[in-house]
Amino acid sequence: MSDTLVTFPNGTTEGHATVLAVHEAENGGAVIVDRTPFHPVDHTWPDQPGDRGTITASGESIAVTEAVMAALSDDGVFATGAAIPVRRGTEGWTWQVAHPFEGAAPSWLVAGAEVDLRVDAALRAALSRGHTACHLASLALDLALADLWRKDPGSDPLGSPDFEARANQTSRIHEDGSVDEYRLGKSLRKAGFDTETLTATLAERQQHVNDTLARWVASAATSRIDTDGPSIVDRRQWRCALPEREVAFLCGGTHVASLAEFAEITVSLDLSDPQLLVMTTTARGASA
């Protein structure tokens, strides 16, 4: 069995496929197909939720609850999500997108069946806005905090000191937004970051981020995903032609095609815990 081919990087939400396997369990199962438009939640960095939708054949459908990553060994071991015991690239394993469903598999859902797949397009669009907004907010935050470094921490894709890479400990994307947590501990201070000045100027930093985001949204910059190949394991990069320069992140998620799809993106910064900066990003679609 080969790695699943995926079409979600180009924005596709529908497709036709051949069922390769149906793995059933006590309270449901998971369908494996040869190609899919479904974006799965990543088991190693689960920032963006997986797509939901339907699989249909001969007028009958089952609901896909949330697409997930799966791995299959040459000797038949099948695992999904956090239960996957190996890293990508491990010899003897193939990587797949699993489409979980609840209850018993219908009689038409068998290996070899031809099926149609349809992603919940409204949910996909909202998650894509959330993911793009998350990346833009991190770049704008790095820019707003650039003067707080006394040592060089390395640069982000825009050339700013990379606070995101140094301090981010969790990132969770949701519909039209995200929540990121940054640890402001002793190691960050030793790396040359001025946490005291951040605390004293938090409101000004937040305004700087929001001013930058407003400028970027107004630019209606193009956004896209470049891929090294068609399978779920091939490297993907998100690129956005910001006014300053084109930026690129390694990223397995989905994104908008243009910043014109936003009416606005705003953030709030919270330091209720002086050791933890929480950035909440909120996006509003252009048609909202």
Side-chain angles (χ1 to χ4, degrees):
M1 192 175 290
S2 301
D3 298 326
T4 304
L5 303 180
V6 293
T7 57
F8 65 79
N10 64 14
T12 299
T13 57
E14 296 183 12
H16 186 79
T18 301
V19 175
L20 300 181
V22 180
H23 298 273
E24 293 195 72
E26 184 176 349
N27 297 311
V31 183
I32 304 298
V33 296
D34 60 340
R35 64 179 61 240
T36 184
F38 280 75
H39 166 261
V41 61
D42 190 279
H43 63 297
T44 57
W45 185 251
D47 55 347
Q48 180 176 339
D51 284 334
R52 300 195 300 258
T54 58
I55 297 176
T56 303
S58 302
E60 297 187 69
S61 298
I62 61 164
V64 176
T65 54
E66 183 186 25
V68 297
M69 284 296 300
L72 178 68
S73 72
D74 289 349
D75 55 3
V77 176
F78 177 76
T80 63
I84 295 174
V86 295
R87 295 185 177 185
R88 286 182 179 87
T90 300
E91 187 175 352
W93 291 77
T94 56
W95 293 85
Q96 303 163 345
V97 177
H99 306 76
F101 59 88
E102 295 179 346
S107 59
W108 53 267
L109 193 62
V110 294
E114 297 292 313
V115 295
D116 293 309
L117 300 97
R118 178 171 294 179
V119 171
D120 182 332
L123 175 62
R124 162 75 71 77
L127 290 172
S128 295
R129 289 191 296 269
H131 205 148
T132 301
C134 179
H135 283 341
L136 293 173
S138 74
L139 289 168
L141 181 64
D142 284 352
L143 187 61
L145 305 183
D147 65 305
L148 298 180
W149 291 95
R150 293 186 294 270
K151 301 177 184 178
D152 181 7
S155 298
D156 72 7
L158 198 57
S160 304
D162 204 344
F163 176 79
E164 172 75 20
R166 283 280 186 166
N168 188 289
Q169 65 175 21
T170 65
S171 181
R172 290 293 182 268
I173 293 158
H174 54 78
E175 297 174 53
D176 288 309
S178 63
V179 178
D180 289 86
E181 295 183 338
Y182 301 90
R183 177 59 60 185
L184 306 179
K186 184 182 297 185
S187 62
L188 193 68
R189 292 192 294 273
K190 285 184 176 180
F193 187 75
D194 184 354
T195 57
E196 291 78 10
T197 300
L198 170 62
T199 301
T201 61
L202 190 65
E204 291 90 336
R205 308 287 168 173
Q206 176 176 297
Q207 188 60 53
H208 190 296
V209 173
N210 285 327
D211 288 347
T212 299
L213 290 171
R215 179 168 57 83
W216 288 347
V217 167
S219 75
T222 58
S223 166
R224 71 181 191 275
I225 298 172
D226 287 346
T227 67
D228 286 353
S231 83
I232 189 60
V233 294
D234 287 314
R235 190 176 73 162
R236 298 183 292 278
Q237 285 189 319
W238 170 74
R239 292 182 177 273
C240 187
L242 293 177
E244 292 86 345
R245 67 168 82 165
E246 183 176 78
V247 296
F249 285 155
L250 287 175
C251 180
T254 66
H255 289 276
V256 302
S258 167
L259 302 194
E261 295 181 33
F262 294 103
E264 65 176 0
I265 303 171
T266 58
V267 306
S268 63
L269 301 179
D270 181 83
L271 262 176
S272 299
D273 178 347
Q275 299 296 308
L276 190 70
L277 175 66
V278 179
M279 179 168 70
T280 301
T281 304
T282 303
R284 184 163 61 86
S287 59

